[in-house]
């Protein structure tokens, strides 16, 4: 591989996919480079799925400005990309005087930030909005925000990637960036599949973004990873929760967050623990028990026994890197940086890095992408708008969403949409096949799961995995033994074996 582009985006998470999409608005040759076999396998894969409103961040910051704007525009964005978005509203609940004081401060801050519809509610009104069993009757007050919503992060990220590709971005999967160097007015991006030249560079490598930046320039920001555990509860529990619940603890420390997801599940978490390393996504008993204790106090009626899955997410906490001019030794600032870090350094003109973008990075991903693309334009010679840019993506077929007559007509045309593969989520063979044929298409079992929902229900793939592997083998022309769950090596069946690995 020896290629040349105007702009290269490194990292196929939410930030990278939206940055590539934003760059396609101008007449530019754009590449999106991702080390894994699919997009959305990093931080964007595992988070709390909330679309924030912007009342909980400091006035005047980029984070606040983008959050408020992104929230206002989120419905339009999801409409364009064919992505589900539920503006369910949120209650930030307090159980004592300190929590209540904090709600009052957040109400003031939210008003300064321009968030509309915020109200402080007394107990009776809180319980009228979110009655038992979701919320404990001991709740004292809540900050109501009608603007908060929830989205499926995979759906959003995949839609951004598809739309970027539809608009001309070249997606280079299985391509790991190993080196960066200045070359003339631009950059040489060394990968394990050869070299790429470009004029502008956007570093969106998530938990590795500091290391990527330091391939070419001095340390500016360093990431310290922590992780958070989550519970996913079955749809029966989902029927009991109407709003996103944020629990404002009485003491310093982490509260509980509960989300009624767009699929009707409940997401409960995250906790906060030290991470062994940047790839450490193993769940931890302490984290899950911490959540269980909090849930018993905040939402005793939420049935944790209906848990269908637990998972852990990794957080990229950014710290300022303080370099000793004499020894070159790097120490970190005492406090983690709260602001979004979209950085450029003098010695690397035409390179933008997004390092340590945590919550609400999902909410702001589209605007962060536009922001980064905007910063690059002068280095790319302010190219004219791309007259062919189309911001919309057609939503794939989800048979469970179709009215019976429409589904019957579709099945008459294509019987594969009538053959149910995943019974928990009612996903058909036609949808699995489509997931493999889209661009980017699924090449792993997880890829099918994120695109169709097959395997995400109560049985967690117990029933459908074998059938999906058969369809994948047929469509991809591969043996089931060559198909992984996710990362290479996570094989599901043995070649010539008589059962699962
Ligand atoms: C626990 C948690 C909960 C959150 N909850 C919310 C929420 O509810 N709402 C909200 O708005 N935000 C939330 N966020 C924030 C949001 O999820 C992130 O800001 C966003 O997903 C970050 O995406 P990213 O593209 O930076 O990273 P990633 O998704 O990690 O993408 C980085 C990509 O770079 C690739 N890569 C790395 N190194 C290389 C290399 N050398 N070569 C090629 N590719 C490479 C990786 O494989 C990966 O695909 C949460 C974050 C966390 C951690």
């Amino acid at each position: 591989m020896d290629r040349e582009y105007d702009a290269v985006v490194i990292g196929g998470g939410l930030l990278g996919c939206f940055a590539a999409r934003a760059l396609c608005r101008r007449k530019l040759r754009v590449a999106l480079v991702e080390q894994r076999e699919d997009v959305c396998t990093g931080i964007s894969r595992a988070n709390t799925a909330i679309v924030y409103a912007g009342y909980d961040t400091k006035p005047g910051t980029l984070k606040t400005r983008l959050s408020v704007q992104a929230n206002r525009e989120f419905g339009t964005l999801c409409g364009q990309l064919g992505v589900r978005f539920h503006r369910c509203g949120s209650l930030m609940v307090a159980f004592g005087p300190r929590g209540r004081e904090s709600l009052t401060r957040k109400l003031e801050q939210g008003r300064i930030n321009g968030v509309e519809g915020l109200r402080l509610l007394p107990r009776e009104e809180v319980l009228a909005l979110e009655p038992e069993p979701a919320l404990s009757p001991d709740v004292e007050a809540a900050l109501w925000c009608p603007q908060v919503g929830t989205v499926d992060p995979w759906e959003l990220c995949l839609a951004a990637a598809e739309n970027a590709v539809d608009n001309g971005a070249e997606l280079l999967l299985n391509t790991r960036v190993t080196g960066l160097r200045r070359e003339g007015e631009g950059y040489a991006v060394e990968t394990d599949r050869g070299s790429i030249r470009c004029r502008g560079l956007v570093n969106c490598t998530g938990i590795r973004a500091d290391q990527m930046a330091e391939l070419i320039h001095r340390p500016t920001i360093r990431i310290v990873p922590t992780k958070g555990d989550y519970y996913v509860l079955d749809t029966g529990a989902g029927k009991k929760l109407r709003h996103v619940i944020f629990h404002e603890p009485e003491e310093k420390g982490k509260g509980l967050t509960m989300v009624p997801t767009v699929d009707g599940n409940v997401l409960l978490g995250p906790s906060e623990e030290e991470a062994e390393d940047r790839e450490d996504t193993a769940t931890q008993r302490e984290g899950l028990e911490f959540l269980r204790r909090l849930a018993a106090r905040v939402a005793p009626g939420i049935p944790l026994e209906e848990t269908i899955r637990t998972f852990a997410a990794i957080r990229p906490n950014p710290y300022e890197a303080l370099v000793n001019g004499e020894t070159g030794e790097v120490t970190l600032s005492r406090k983690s940086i709260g602001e979004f870090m979209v950085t450029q350094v003098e010695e690397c003109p035409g390179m933008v890095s997004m390092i340590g973008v945590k919550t609400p990075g999902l909410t702001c991903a589209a605007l962060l992408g536009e922001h980064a693309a905007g910063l690059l334009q002068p280095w790319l010679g302010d190219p004219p708008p791309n007259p062919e840019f189309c911001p919309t993506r057609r939503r794939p077929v989800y048979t469970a969403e179709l009215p019976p007559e429409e589904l019957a007509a579709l099945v008459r045309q294509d019987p594969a949409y009538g053959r149910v593969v995943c019974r928990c989520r009612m996903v058909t063979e036609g949808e699995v096949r489509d997931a493999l044929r889209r661009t980017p298409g699924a090449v792993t079992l997880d890829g099918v799961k994120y695109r169709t929902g097959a395997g995400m229900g109560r049985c967690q793939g117990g029933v459908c995995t074998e059938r999906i592997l058969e369809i994948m083998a047929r469509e991809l022309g591969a043996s089931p033994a060559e198909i992984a769950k996710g990362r290479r090596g996570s094989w599901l069946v043995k070649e010539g074996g008589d059962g699962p690995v």
Side-chain angles (χ1 to χ4, degrees):
M1 186 176 70
D2 195 12
R3 298 168 187 244
E4 196 163 339
Y5 299 91
D6 296 311
V8 167
V9 179
I10 314 173
L14 275 161
L15 300 188
C17 292
F18 273 109
R21 177 179 185 257
L23 283 160
C24 290
R25 288 183 190 273
R26 302 287 183 124
K27 277 193 154 185
L28 290 169
R29 291 163 306 156
V30 178
L32 174 57
V33 182
E34 167 55 49
Q35 64 184 357
R36 291 284 302 271
E37 68 294 335
D38 204 350
V39 298
C40 203
T41 61
I43 301 166
S44 306
R45 178 188 61 91
N47 53 62
T48 321
I50 298 171
V51 176
Y52 284 85
Y55 67 77
D56 207 2
T57 45
K58 277 196 189 141
T61 59
L62 176 69
K63 193 182 257 186
T64 297
R65 185 167 62 74
L66 294 189
S67 301
V68 174
Q69 187 186 343
N71 183 289
R72 284 194 190 131
E73 296 172 359
F74 219 82
T76 309
L77 177 72
C78 290
Q80 286 176 336
L81 292 176
V83 168
R84 292 167 299 165
F85 167 48
H86 288 180
R87 205 181 276 283
C88 52
S90 69
L91 289 162
M92 182 172 263
V93 298
F95 286 80
R98 284 175 72 172
R100 202 190 163 96
E101 268 171 40
S102 166
L103 298 189
T104 311
R105 277 198 305 275
K106 287 184 179 170
L107 172 71
E108 297 295 312
Q109 182 171 265
R111 286 185 176 153
I112 296 169
N113 291 351
V115 179
E116 287 158 19
L118 288 173
R119 277 177 58 212
L120 203 54
L121 306 181
R123 174 188 285 126
E124 310 74 57
E125 279 191 62
V126 180
L127 291 173
L129 271 179
E130 189 68 63
E132 277 189 88
L135 214 49
S136 159
D138 295 339
V139 62
E140 190 164 309
L143 180 58
W144 162 242
C145 179
Q147 314 297 346
V148 167
T150 173
V151 69
D152 177 337
W154 305 302
E155 223 177 276
L156 185 66
C157 190
L158 285 160
E162 280 189 16
N163 191 241
V165 170
D166 282 350
N167 281 298
E170 246 183 87
L171 176 57
L172 307 176
L173 293 168
N174 298 305
T175 308
R176 181 175 152 73
V177 173
T178 52
L180 295 175
R181 103 186 120 67
R182 290 283 287 148
E183 200 178 79
E185 293 287 282
Y187 293 90
V189 180
E190 302 298 343
T191 81
D192 55 2
R193 295 176 56 216
S195 179
I196 306 171
R197 279 184 306 281
C198 61
R199 285 190 290 151
L201 202 53
V202 190
N203 165 18
C204 303
T205 45
I207 197 73
R208 301 275 176 199
D210 55 342
Q211 295 170 339
M212 182 59 63
E214 287 177 35
L215 287 178
I216 192 162
H217 65 67
R218 67 192 152 81
T220 52
I221 298 160
R222 286 251 170 109
I223 288 174
V224 176
T226 55
K227 64 179 181 176
D229 292 304
Y230 289 86
Y231 285 96
V232 183
L233 275 55
D234 202 2
T235 46
K239 292 196 181 84
K240 299 184 172 127
L241 183 70
R242 297 180 187 171
H243 306 95
V244 170
I245 305 288
F246 300 112
H247 160 228
E248 190 64 6
E250 275 301 283
E251 304 302 328
K252 234 177 164 296
K254 197 118 187 73
L256 182 76
T257 302
M258 292 193 295
V259 182
T261 70
V262 288
D263 289 315
N265 300 94
V266 171
L267 192 60
L268 201 145
S271 55
E272 173 122 41
E273 298 119 48
E274 277 176 25
E276 290 264 305
D277 59 54
R278 296 180 187 226
E279 309 297 331
D280 174 19
T281 52
T283 53
Q284 240 166 278
R285 182 191 293 260
E286 299 78 49
L288 293 171
E289 277 175 2
F290 166 80
L291 294 175
R292 196 172 269 280
R293 280 197 302 277
L294 271 189
R297 173 154 160 62
V298 177
I302 286 290
L304 279 185
E305 63 280 8
E306 288 186 30
T307 297
I308 56 173
R309 189 180 183 82
T310 55
F311 67 89
I314 202 92
R315 280 195 194 85
N317 304 295
Y319 288 79
E320 197 184 338
L322 309 163
V323 187
N324 183 316
E326 279 169 26
T327 62
E329 195 194 345
V330 179
T331 50
L332 301 187
S333 57
R334 278 184 34 171
K335 262 189 89 187
S336 173
I337 303 169
E339 175 63 304
F340 279 155
M341 288 288 107
V342 186
T343 60
Q344 290 173 295
V345 300
E346 219 173 297
E347 61 264 35
C348 292
M351 173 174 174
V352 176
S353 284
M354 299 204 239
I355 307 180
V357 173
K358 300 194 292 181
T359 306
L362 177 159
T363 307
C364 301
L367 291 182
L368 280 166
E370 301 288 346
H371 184 64
L375 291 174
L376 273 199
Q377 295 312 327
W379 301 104
L380 301 173
D382 281 319
N386 172 5
E388 282 159 28
F389 180 82
C390 172
T392 58
R393 177 199 78 133
R394 209 155 59 89
R395 183 165 172 75
V397 171
Y398 291 96
T399 52
E401 293 174 354
L402 298 178
E405 318 75 57
E406 232 176 276
L407 178 59
L410 185 66
V411 173
R412 275 196 297 279
Q413 256 179 31
D414 183 346
Y417 289 115
R419 292 194 280 272
V420 174
V421 171
C422 163
R423 287 190 225 148
C424 302
R425 298 278 298 266
M426 294 306 280
V427 179
T428 64
E429 181 181 328
E431 288 154 82
V432 174
R433 181 204 56 202
D434 294 352
L436 303 169
R437 292 186 186 172
R438 295 181 78 85
T439 312
V443 289
T444 62
L445 196 70
D446 282 349
V448 170
K449 172 166 134 179
Y450 299 146
R451 284 168 179 80
T452 64
M456 277 193 202
R458 180 175 303 176
C459 85
Q460 289 288 296
V463 172
C464 59
T465 296
E466 203 177 329
R467 183 76 191 101
I468 294 173
L469 278 183
E470 276 169 24
I471 301 167
M472 291 182 77
R474 185 190 72 208
E475 283 286 320
L476 302 174
S479 127
E482 291 171 291
I483 297 168
K485 180 186 175 298
R487 200 181 279 281
R488 209 181 143 68
S490 56
W491 313 118
L492 291 143
V493 292
K494 245 188 208 160
E495 190 74 75
D498 53 3
V501 175

